[in-house]
DNA sequence: GAATATATGTCAGTGTTATTGACATAATAT
DNA sequence: ATATTATGTCAATAACACTGACATATATTC
């Protein structure tokens, strides 16, 4: 746990906080540029990537499951998901117990594309982990998890522990 | 430095990499939602926030300085910057040595607004730092810096050490 | 069985942020 | 004088998100 800082260290504290804000901005900017380059060659964008990614990680999830995980509207998802289904990246099956539901799965084509997109980020993150070392990586996870909304941490933990 | 993992740990490694990808996604999503809420009450968006932020951090920077830091096009910046100047958040002065340049500064109004926007993220990040502790924070910085493009790390370091 | 709720889909309109390409102006450098 | 640089601007386009309204099929409840 962090020791209480004396008041006189408020200036230093602000610098540390701005450092976090800025590193998050720059890291996220570069981290998303890898898949963006691949996506630019197709008619897909970042939103399609997110859907492919989370359907891949949660096979059999439903439309509303995706909606609450991604926190976008049904109309936004509908366009993106519709294109992915139409072009054969995602397969929809009627729910077994509740036939109103659409259970979502990646097709082989979808799996291959997701793998390619993930690989571009995997290499960057793996290299960063290697350079920073395992203890830094643990701190990286810890701080990021605490930046997530308090009432969403359980959802995120369930997701990353799959 | 990370020890070499045996081949049999490749599965674990992929889980660790996906954890980083997912935490970055969720943390960034919530981290940007704070200023977004404030911005939604004005006619400004996330792009305006970034310009306010980096002009505030680099008083006297030029248009091309901002362009290379933010990596957007002149046309995209032009619209956003123009609105901020017109509404009195940013002041432009002709360069002292090169009068073609526009040296950019926040006005008092701009400083106040930037402060309000930053406060919303500061509280979130400060709380996360406190919960995770100083060692985790150091790891958080280290990994994020290594996620940034190699050829941009110097630029980012110069920025965060201001 | 009828009424209500849920899961999903769809239509029309809007706004923000970004892009590219072309061209213009003013100031500096050669 | 000419070329280059820093900035600004116009027009067109695209991705991604939003709201509001309405439709359909299936489940649940009274």
């Amino acid at each position: 746990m962090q020791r209480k800082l004396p008041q006189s260290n408020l200036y230093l504290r602000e610098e540390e906080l701005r450092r976090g804000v800025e590193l998050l901005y720059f890291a996220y900017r570069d981290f998303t540029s890898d898949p963006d380059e691949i996506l630019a060659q197709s008619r897909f964008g970042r939103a399609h990537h997110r859907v492919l990614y989370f359907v891949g990680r949660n096979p059999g999830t439903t439309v509303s499951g995706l909606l609450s995980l991604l926190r976008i509207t049904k109309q936004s998802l509908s366009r993106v998901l519709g294109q992915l289904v139409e072009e054969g990246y995602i397969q929809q099956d009627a729910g077994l117990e509740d036939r109103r539901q659409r259970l979502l799965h990646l097709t082989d084509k979808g799996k291959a594309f997701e793998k390619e997109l993930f690989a571009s980020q995997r290499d960057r993150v793996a290299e960063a982990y290697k350079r920073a070392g395992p203890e830094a990586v643990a701190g990286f996870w810890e701080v990021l998890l605490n930046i997530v909304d308090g009432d969403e941490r359980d959802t995120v933990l369930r997701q990353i522990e799959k």
Side-chain angles (χ1 to χ4, degrees), chain A:
Chain A
M1 277 311 199
Q2 175 143 353
R3 288 154 301 174
K4 264 188 191 155
L5 293 169
Q7 285 288 72
S8 61
N9 274 13
L10 275 182
Y11 174 75
L12 184 65
R13 202 159 158 62
E14 159 131 357
E15 289 311 301
E16 289 171 345
L17 294 168
R18 288 205 182 266
R19 180 177 303 185
V21 168
E22 286 159 27
L23 282 170
L24 261 177
Y25 170 70
F26 289 115
Y28 196 80
R29 182 194 66 177
D30 292 346
F31 165 77
T32 49
S33 72
D34 302 323
D36 281 356
E37 273 178 36
I38 299 170
L39 291 159
Q41 294 161 7
S42 65
R43 292 173 302 299
F44 295 147
R46 205 176 282 183
H48 300 84
H49 181 201
R50 288 200 288 266
V51 171
L52 278 174
Y53 186 92
F54 286 108
V55 170
R57 283 284 277 170
N58 304 279
T61 190
T62 63
V63 170
S64 43
L66 266 187
L67 287 179
S68 55
L69 192 64
L70 299 176
R71 287 214 306 225
I72 57 175
T73 59
K74 190 173 50 164
Q75 294 81 348
S76 297
L77 176 59
S78 177
R79 178 184 51 85
V80 171
L81 183 57
Q83 288 169 329
L84 289 169
V85 169
E86 193 175 340
E87 303 203 22
Y89 291 88
I90 287 181
Q91 180 190 341
Q92 289 179 324
D93 303 306
L96 298 172
E97 292 175 1
D98 184 338
R99 300 205 312 164
R100 291 171 304 182
Q101 292 180 332
R102 301 276 172 272
L103 307 186
L104 306 173
H105 296 270
L106 296 187
T107 61
D108 287 344
K109 187 180 175 185
K111 281 178 195 168
F113 193 39
E114 194 281 324
K115 199 172 170 183
E116 184 189 353
L117 290 165
F118 175 63
S120 69
Q121 295 187 307
R122 184 194 57 212
D123 294 347
R124 180 186 291 270
V125 175
E127 185 64 20
Y129 280 9
K130 207 173 91 184
R131 287 169 154 274
E135 281 164 34
V137 171
F140 169 72
W141 289 336
E142 183 73 9
V143 175
L144 282 183
L145 182 62
N146 281 298
I147 286 178
V148 172
D149 280 354
D151 58 5
E152 289 273 317
R153 267 172 226 149
D154 284 352
T155 309
V156 171
L157 275 175
R158 245 177 284 127
Q159 179 63 44
I160 67 181
E161 279 165 3
K162 271 197 175 139

